[in-house]
Amino acid sequence: MRSSSAGPAHSTGRSTPDSNVHFVRSSKSLAAEPGSPIGALHGGDLLESLARAGRTPADIEAVAVTHLHGDHVGWLAPPLLGSDLPAFPQAEYLLTEDEWAARHTMEAHGVGKDLIDAMAPKVRTVADGQEIFPGVTVRLVPGHTPGHTAYVIAAGEQRLIAFGDAMHSPIQVRHPEWSAAPDHDTVQSADFRRRLVAELQEPGTIGFGVHFADMVFGHARHDGNGLAWHPVDA
């Protein structure tokens, strides 16, 4: 993490010959690399999780993308092994116009021309405040990338804010001025993070932080030392 007053952002991802991201297409783990700030990675269970929920990839109508970094679009990569179809053959890929306009700058973050070309026919751009499904609204939260997006899922008096990489660690709830190394614009990301933390204190609001390890669902609450991330009780 660094303060929003720091200089230009630099990626801290793992290097491969073509990108800084390993796409995990089967259920496995990648061990932490010495000297890397990134710990062990676990993934690859999405399709199995869908099956347990009684759904198939062909049932998916749309994939709501927070931003064009490799660890957030891996399942949109070229076809799965043994098939000529993408993982979600019927789905549109939803992302903001600002994010799609910046697509050719994302190679340093694991999204190269081949992936962009594969995605392009299925992309539908969406706007801040747009309801993409009943109860699901686009929330523009730029800074990490030019068009980074959160998605607000509302039901009655309850709502969940899936905020993607607007925050990478629970410590940013207490220190929203601290930006992650890959942030495109640290001043802008800190500004929107402060607004997000304020919303996460409101009644009936749950946050979903995809990078928050084993406490991805929670609220912002005051404790004896200031604001902190409080996981939702299981």
Side-chain angles (χ1 to χ4, degrees):
M1 295 297 171
R2 63 185 181 190
S3 169
S4 60
S5 61
H10 297 282
S11 171
T12 58
R14 300 181 178 187
S15 294
T16 69
D18 300 312
S19 73
N20 65 353
V21 173
H22 294 282
F23 288 110
V24 181
R25 307 310 295 271
S26 60
S27 182
K28 64 178 184 179
S29 299
L30 295 172
E33 294 181 356
S36 171
I38 300 175
L41 301 178
H42 309 277
D45 292 329
L46 177 59
L47 301 187
E48 289 82 357
S49 296
L50 279 175
R52 288 195 294 272
R55 298 290 184 267
T56 72
D59 294 329
I60 304 303
E61 299 176 25
V63 177
V65 178
T66 58
H67 63 295
L68 289 171
H69 281 182
D71 57 330
H72 290 261
V73 294
W75 285 103
L76 309 185
L80 295 173
L81 295 176
S83 172
D84 292 330
L85 297 174
F88 305 105
Q90 307 301 322
E92 296 180 305
Y93 305 152
L94 310 182
L95 67 163
T96 63
E97 179 64 41
D98 287 347
E99 190 71 2
W100 187 239
R103 61 193 180 276
H104 299 303
T105 69
M106 299 296 180
E107 190 162 0
H109 299 283
V111 179
K113 184 177 185 301
D114 288 348
L115 178 50
I116 292 297
D117 289 347
M119 290 178 61
K122 298 168 72 65
V123 165
R124 176 164 65 90
T125 58
V126 295
D128 186 33
Q130 181 176 340
E131 189 175 47
I132 55 174
F133 285 103
V136 181
T137 305
V138 175
R139 174 74 58 81
L140 188 62
V141 190
H144 181 62
T145 61
H148 184 279
T149 309
Y151 293 93
V152 182
I153 304 169
E157 297 182 356
Q158 304 292 315
R159 65 175 178 166
L160 180 141
I161 304 175
F163 52 77
D165 282 7
M167 291 192 286
H168 286 76
S169 168
I171 193 63
Q172 290 175 290
V173 171
R174 182 161 293 165
H175 291 284
E177 74 278 10
W178 291 1
S179 293
D183 281 0
H184 164 76
D185 183 328
T186 57
V187 173
Q188 188 179 50
S189 68
D191 179 42
F192 276 89
R193 200 158 35 249
R194 292 184 184 95
R195 303 182 202 184
L196 175 62
V197 169
E199 285 200 67
L200 292 174
Q201 299 175 63
E202 295 179 5
T205 301
I206 296 172
F208 170 61
V210 66
H211 288 299
F212 281 22
D214 58 351
M215 48 184 183
V216 295
F217 295 101
H219 319 269
R221 296 288 185 266
H222 284 275
D223 61 20
N225 297 308
L227 276 173
W229 180 255
H230 284 244
V232 173
D233 293 335

